[in-house]
């Protein structure tokens, strides 16, 4: 009877534990047709993520694992613990401690580091957030909504980040500026988006001063290989490398057609003599009956340096669980 009771108690604790497992995986085949003397290439790549989350009351523990096969080079895939943090709430203050990725935006690449702390609270509709990774790398952010306009100001070690966004008659408008104390190192991006007659339209323009480089990874393009001044990230072999002072503008038109999502993107990279670039992308996405999502991307890169022109076809199968 004691043995039965012990086993029952163990099974009950497991059944009642608030634990979830989720993840995603994708595999890609990419063919690149290069101009000039550069050889064409065919690569297979894979990328996988696994997230484990446990919760007890207002406290949760999150661990994210991620792995990829070194961008198709043939190297054995590595699978590392990327994020691991504890989050909770104490007397109205939200706390998060550990390591995590702060996410990309159109201006700078993401960063991941350990020993981070984030504390935030909301008072009369105004949210105050304090972030720190060590004694010399702390920030203070104030954010809120004024008459339907979302505003935020973040004081960082080297300057300030300013964000403004709102929606007017169904059209979303946003502005983000990363202003830095060092001369000629400011960056900013303006974006407007809306839906018209069944077509989703987005336009964005990102600008960089002559002493800094755009290094984000968004729908405007992957530029994480670029040389930049105040960010660090894992570079991506497939990223398009920008130079200091180059600006980027992008237009996206997306609609549904015969069960597919069809998108056209035009990306213009300018402001460097002899190195202006136009990228056109045609993207078709379709959910399949087997639970995966298929995506085909045809991209044409036309660079002022003719030897670097290329077009590519990327076929992807992705799944989330």
């Amino acid at each position: 009877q004691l043995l039965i009771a012990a086993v029952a108690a163990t099974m009950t604790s497991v059944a009642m534990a608030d634990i979830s497992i989720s993840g995603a995986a994708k595999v890609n085949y990419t063919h690149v047709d290069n101009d000039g003397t550069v050889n064409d290439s065919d690569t297979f790549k894979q990328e996988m993520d696994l997230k484990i989350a446990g919760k007890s009351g207002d406290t949760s523990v999150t661990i994210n694992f991620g792995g990829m096969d070194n961008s198709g080079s043939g190297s054995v895939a590595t699978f590392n613990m990327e994020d691991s943090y504890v989050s909770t709430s104490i007397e109205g203050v939200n706390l998060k401690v550990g390591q995590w990725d702060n996410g990309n935006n159109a201006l700078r690449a993401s960063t991941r580091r350990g020993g981070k702390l984030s504390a935030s609270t909301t008072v009369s509709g105004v949210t105050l957030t304090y972030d720190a990774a060590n004694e010399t790398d702390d920030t203070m952010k104030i954010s809120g909504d004024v008459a339907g306009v979302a505003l935020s100001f973040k004081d960082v070690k080297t300057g300030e980040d300013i964000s403004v966004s709102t929606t007017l008659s169904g059209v979303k408008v946003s502005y983000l500026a990363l202003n830095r104390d060092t001369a000629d190192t400011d960056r900013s991006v303006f974006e407007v988006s809306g839906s018209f007659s069944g077509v989703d339209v987005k336009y964005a323009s990102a600008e960089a001063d002559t002493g800094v480089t755009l290094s984000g990874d968004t729908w405007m393009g992957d530029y994480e290989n670029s040389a930049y001044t105040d960010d660090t990230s894992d570079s991506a072999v497939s990223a398009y490398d920008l130079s200091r002072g180059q600006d980027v503008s992008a237009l996206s038109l997306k609609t549904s057609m015969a069960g597919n999502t069809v998108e056209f993107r035009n990306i213009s990279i300018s402001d460097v003599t002899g190195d202006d670039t136009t990228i056109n992308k045609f993207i078709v996405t379709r959910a399949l009956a087997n639970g995966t999502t298929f995506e085909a991307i045809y991209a044409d890169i036309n660079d002022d340096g003719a030897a670097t022109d290329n077009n590519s076809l990327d076929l992807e199968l992705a799944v989330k669980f």
Side-chain angles (χ1 to χ4, degrees):
Q1 290 179 339
L2 290 175
L3 179 61
I4 293 173
V7 172
T10 302
M11 294 179 64
T12 301
S13 64
V14 172
M16 293 179 63
D18 192 352
I19 298 175
S20 64
I21 299 175
S22 60
K26 63 180 181 179
V27 292
N28 294 74
Y29 162 73
T30 306
H31 171 75
V32 180
D33 183 6
N34 294 296
D35 284 359
T37 59
V38 181
N39 292 334
D40 297 345
S41 64
D42 294 275
T43 57
F44 294 92
K45 297 185 295 183
Q46 67 182 38
E47 184 175 347
M48 299 184 181
D49 296 283
L50 182 66
K51 177 179 179 180
I52 302 174
K55 188 174 183 181
S56 176
D58 293 331
T59 302
S60 62
V61 178
T62 302
I63 302 174
N64 291 329
F65 297 91
M68 61 180 62
D69 63 351
N70 199 20
S71 300
S73 67
S75 301
V76 175
T78 58
F79 206 68
N80 301 313
M81 184 170 66
E82 297 181 339
D83 302 327
S84 59
Y85 54 87
V86 176
S87 56
T88 190
S89 178
I90 301 175
E91 298 296 331
V93 177
N94 299 314
L95 296 174
K96 184 177 179 181
V97 180
Q99 67 179 47
W100 62 87
D101 188 351
N102 66 347
N104 271 292
N105 61 42
L107 303 178
R108 56 116 180 98
S110 63
T111 60
R112 176 180 282 108
R113 63 183 66 181
K116 296 173 67 174
L117 164 71
S118 179
S120 66
T121 188
T122 300
V123 180
S124 300
V126 177
T127 300
L128 304 174
T129 304
Y130 172 77
D131 290 316
N134 53 57
E135 293 180 354
T136 61
D137 190 24
D138 57 344
T139 67
M140 180 64 75
K141 179 180 178 181
I142 180 171
S143 59
D145 188 284
V146 179
V149 179
L151 304 169
S152 73
F153 176 88
K154 179 190 284 188
D155 181 55
V156 301
K157 178 183 177 183
T158 56
E160 64 274 342
D161 299 350
I162 300 172
S163 175
V164 182
S165 65
T166 190
T167 300
L168 302 171
S169 301
V171 177
K172 183 178 180 180
V173 181
S174 64
Y175 174 79
L176 172 65
L178 307 185
N179 298 326
R180 297 298 178 258
D181 297 335
T182 303
D184 300 321
T185 58
D186 293 347
R187 289 164 287 180
S188 63
V189 59
F190 169 80
E191 183 172 333
V192 58
S193 62
S195 184
F196 308 91
S197 301
V199 179
D200 295 332
V201 181
K202 287 193 297 186
Y203 173 79
S205 177
E207 298 181 352
D209 284 352
T210 55
V212 72
T213 308
L214 300 175
S215 56
D217 180 8
T218 64
W219 69 275
M220 298 180 68
D222 180 1
Y223 309 112
E224 286 188 321
N225 258 356
S226 303
Y228 38 90
T229 60
D230 64 345
D231 302 310
T232 58
S233 76
D234 297 328
S235 63
V237 174
S238 61
Y240 188 88
D241 194 10
L242 298 182
S243 301
R244 292 181 179 181
Q246 283 192 291
D247 300 331
V248 177
S249 61
L251 172 69
S252 167
L253 304 174
K254 182 190 294 186
T255 190
S256 297
M257 186 180 300
N260 304 302
T261 299
V262 181
E263 182 180 6
F264 167 73
R265 294 181 191 172
N266 173 265
I267 301 166
S268 177
I269 304 170
S270 62
D271 282 352
V272 173
T273 303
D275 202 21
D276 293 352
T277 303
T278 300
I279 303 173
N280 290 312
K281 290 185 178 183
F282 298 89
I283 306 169
V284 178
T285 308
R286 184 181 184 90
L288 303 181
N290 63 1
T292 64
T293 297
F294 171 75
E295 183 176 78
I297 302 177
Y298 174 81
D300 178 77
I301 298 179
N302 187 356
D303 200 304
D304 282 352
T308 61
D309 291 355
N310 69 64
N311 57 72
S312 63
L313 177 65
D314 181 81
L315 305 178
E316 176 183 289
L317 277 179
V319 61
K320 294 182 179 181
F321 59 88

